[in-house]
Amino acid sequence: NSDAGSYVCTVMSGSLSVMSNTATLTVYGQPVILDHPTGSDVPIGRNITLTCRATGLGTLVYSWERRSSGSSWSTVSNVNTSSYTTDTRLAIGQYMYRCRVRNEAGSVVSNRATVNVYGPPMLINHPIGSDVSMGRSTTLTCRASGLGTLVYSWERRSSGSSWTTVSNDNTTSYTTDTSLAIGQYMYRCIVRNEARSVVSNSATVNVYGPPTIRTDPMSQLTTVGMNVTLNCEGTGGRLI
């Protein structure tokens, strides 16, 4: 840098001299990165665009490198652009990216940007069915984990019918309808994010009505002081 400055050339002939125009010498170094790429979470099959911005003299040339867990840095783009769009074919996992900018003086490397490619949600708790008397309700619960925005919905199916949506309220629990007729109903929870959706196990809810007498007690004749056993048999629901 000490050689930087303005220069002129003086040419002399005897007592005469002539001076050239001024020439300026600029000594510059490697580029300086102003904006580093920023990572994020992205669902599988999608992409994200990373951006890097540098300043400096000379000709700035950009390239992009990627590294996954247990691997070395490898060049993924030599197109000489300040932005890079990730590959939609990447498998689920964590990937690190960096931008390399060079000029005639040397090169600099940006900070790393981490991109998490995530898949569908993972179900942790499935709904559990139960028996419920007619006119009552029961609450089913489903819990999932995962990246992105998790959205819950609930579906129901009775014997001989197809699955139909009964709730799009985006809640982890669903309370059954008290107006359901006597019968067997199956419920399941659908959880989705930006990657795709998963379906819980089916939970069976049996709606039962009042009991009925199948066997009435028999009238008997007995003497004072004797024990008599009367039998009655009912059916339906939870009998007491």
Side-chain angles (χ1 to χ4, degrees), residues 40 49 67 73 87 104 128 148 155 169 197 223:
S40 69
T49 298
R67 181 169 74 86
W73 288 102
D87 193 341
E104 294 80 355
I128 299 174
E155 296 180 345
D169 294 337
S197 61
T223 60

Side-chain angles (χ1 to χ4, degrees), residues 26 30 38 72 100 114 144-145 204 208 234:
T26 302
Q30 60 192 23
T38 303
S72 302
R100 186 179 295 274
T114 300
S145 67
T204 300
Y208 62 87

Side-chain angles (χ1 to χ4, degrees), residues 100-182:
R100 186 179 295 274
V101 189
R102 69 179 187 275
N103 63 5
E104 294 80 355
S107 65
V108 290
V109 177
S110 72
N111 296 339
R112 301 174 182 178
T114 300
V115 175
N116 291 304
V117 178
Y118 62 87
M122 179 179 296
L123 287 164
I124 299 173
N125 298 124
H126 294 263
I128 299 174
S130 64
D131 297 332
V132 59
S133 61
M134 187 178 180
R136 302 287 183 88
S137 63
T138 183
T139 298
L140 306 171
T141 301
C142 176
R143 190 165 65 93
S145 67
L147 295 175
T149 303
L150 301 188
V151 179
Y152 292 78
S153 62
W154 290 85
E155 296 180 345
R156 181 181 69 211
R157 182 169 73 88
S158 57
S159 179
S161 67
S162 302
W163 288 102
T164 58
T165 300
V166 291
S167 172
N168 272 322
D169 294 337
N170 190 22
T171 59
T172 59
S173 62
Y174 172 74
T175 300
T176 60
D177 194 342
T178 58
S179 63
L180 288 176
I182 296 171

